[in-house]
Amino acid sequence: MKKSTALQRLLKRTEFYIFLVLIALIIVIQAVSGGQLLEPNIVVTILRTMVVDGLFALGCLLVMVSGGFDMSFPAIAALSYSLATTICLNNGWCQTTAWAGFALSIIFGAVLGMLNGVIISNFALNTMLVTLGTQTFFTGLSMGLFELKEITSTLPKGLRALGEWSLFEVQSSAGLSASMTGLFIFLIIAAIATSFVLNKTMFGRALYAIGGNEVSAERAGFNVKKTKFILYTVVGAMAGFTGMIRVCMARQSIPKALVNKEMTIIPAVILGGASIYGGEGSVFGTMTAIGIISLVSNSMLLVGIDTYWEKFFNGLIILIGITISSLQAKRNRR
């Protein structure tokens, strides 16, 4: 009886079907590509791609569980890492270790996230509109007021060394090699931590409650304003951290590098089971959806599809994700 109930619950979860889609895609692409997909260098490349997108997606998941949308996280990340890298470069920091750059970027991200938190928690405004506004504001600060420049060949050695940190190196049957970045560890740690927060803490329960019904959550004793303020501050700090991870992996700091990144990450989180109305979502589903997007974007050439079709598939993912979320909301209302 218990096994039957557990199976029924599993079959009702969006994440289960998204995982099946991932498995089906792997089988199809492996067959069409003549067995190239599961070559070690391709697998490592896909996992590397998941690091930055996965970290961003975890922050988005927290916001969407609470019933909100954060359109500003790429702008927060870009402004935070650009400021941090510029300061480190000008002061000769991060030449041996990268901790100063990360500390600055996290602090800047948290402060910028606080601005979102203050506005959203105190004025009860639409989160998408607020973060669209702050996104433009942060981008204006980066490109206009501060006139932050691209940093490539002069990137501090500590940041460059962290980006070159490798866990292992693999080689395909054709002799092509790829190294697995050590920064993948941070994605694993962040995924475990996010899952723990959502499922085992009062803060996580508050996020689900607020996303389900904000009025009911307040009546149940949750401090909605405080929770939202902390949420957007934490998500801002996560964006700053993720931005610096990207700087290390790309070995360059470019203020415009993350423009429109939200148009890939948010649909992926929705595709992974997060509801556009809030109160739903899991780390497993989110990571599975990020895996699907990374798989598709890195295997298009393997199956003979031009990379220009990537936008088509991203648009398709958006439509599928929104449809799934709407159907899920209707099912729950019944």
Side-chain angles (χ1 to χ4, degrees):
M1 187 70 178
K2 289 183 179 180
K3 288 183 179 180
S4 177
T5 304
L7 180 61
Q8 289 175 350
R9 285 201 302 266
L10 179 64
L11 293 176
K12 288 182 179 180
R13 295 186 68 84
T14 305
E15 296 92 325
F16 173 70
Y17 296 100
I18 296 301
F19 182 71
L20 291 182
V21 169
L22 176 61
I23 298 300
L25 277 173
I26 291 173
I27 294 172
V28 170
I29 295 172
Q30 173 72 355
V32 174
S33 66
Q36 295 183 65
L37 177 64
L38 296 182
E39 286 283 354
N41 63 312
I42 301 296
V43 174
V44 165
T45 300
I46 292 172
L47 292 175
R48 283 177 61 93
T49 305
M50 288 180 63
V51 174
V52 172
D53 287 355
L55 288 169
F56 276 137
L58 291 172
C60 279
L61 173 64
L62 294 175
V63 174
M64 294 193 70
V65 164
S66 74
F69 275 90
D70 186 2
M71 307 295 288
S72 66
F73 69 87
I76 290 177
L79 178 54
S80 299
Y81 73 63
S82 296
L83 278 173
T85 308
T86 300
I87 291 172
C88 288
L89 183 64
N90 292 341
N91 289 278
W93 299 346
C94 292
Q95 293 303 317
T96 55
T97 61
W99 71 265
F102 274 87
L104 286 173
S105 191
I106 291 170
I107 291 170
F108 291 145
V111 171
L112 297 175
M114 280 183 193
L115 179 58
N116 282 335
V118 168
I119 297 172
I120 291 169
S121 63
N122 287 290
F123 299 102
L125 298 174
N126 182 281
T127 56
M128 180 180 289
L129 296 179
V130 170
T131 54
L132 274 173
T134 54
Q135 176 193 62
T136 305
F137 176 65
F138 297 149
T139 303
L141 287 178
S142 178
M143 307 306 299
L145 181 62
F146 297 134
E147 296 183 347
L148 296 169
K149 306 298 183 184
E150 295 183 4
I151 300 173
T152 53
S153 60
T154 56
L155 189 73
K157 294 178 181 178
L159 299 178
R160 188 179 295 275
L162 186 60
E164 293 171 351
W165 174 31
S166 174
L167 294 176
F168 55 83
E169 188 170 310
V170 296
Q171 197 168 44
S172 70
S173 57
L176 300 174
S177 61
S179 59
M180 186 63 204
T181 176
L183 298 176
F184 188 78
I185 292 174
F186 289 106
L187 175 60
I188 296 173
I189 294 172
I192 294 172
T194 303
S195 182
F196 178 81
V197 168
L198 286 175
N199 297 300
K200 301 296 183 181
T201 68
M202 286 301 295
F203 182 72
R205 296 188 186 97
L207 293 182
Y208 279 113
I210 292 169
N213 189 305
E214 190 170 316
V215 175
S216 297
E218 193 142 24
R219 288 175 180 170
F222 292 108
N223 189 328
V224 174
K225 287 186 176 181
K226 182 180 178 181
T227 302
K228 286 186 176 182
F229 175 77
I230 294 173
L231 168 64
Y232 285 94
T233 302
V234 169
V235 170
M238 289 176 68
F241 173 79
T242 306
M244 192 54 73
I245 289 285
R246 189 196 181 281
V247 168
C248 293
M249 291 185 68
R251 297 175 196 136
Q252 57 186 8
S253 172
I254 301 177
K256 291 183 179 180
L258 298 175
V259 172
N260 294 327
K261 191 67 171 174
E262 70 279 4
M263 299 310 296
T264 301
I265 302 301
I266 292 176
V269 178
I270 296 173
L271 183 66
S275 172
I276 57 177
Y277 304 104
E280 297 282 345
S282 69
V283 170
F284 176 75
T286 298
M287 289 296 98
T288 302
I290 289 295
I292 289 175
I293 289 180
S294 299
L295 173 66
V296 171
S297 63
N298 284 282
S299 61
M300 294 182 74
L301 291 177
L302 291 178
V303 297
I305 300 175
D306 198 293
T307 53
Y308 288 114
W309 282 88
E310 187 173 344
K311 289 185 178 180
F312 169 81
F313 287 109
N314 283 341
L316 187 62
I317 287 171
I318 292 173
L319 293 174
I320 293 173
I322 292 173
T323 301
I324 290 173
S325 184
S326 298
L327 292 174
Q328 185 182 50
K330 287 181 180 178
R331 184 189 65 198
N332 291 339
R333 282 198 292 268
R334 291 172 187 170

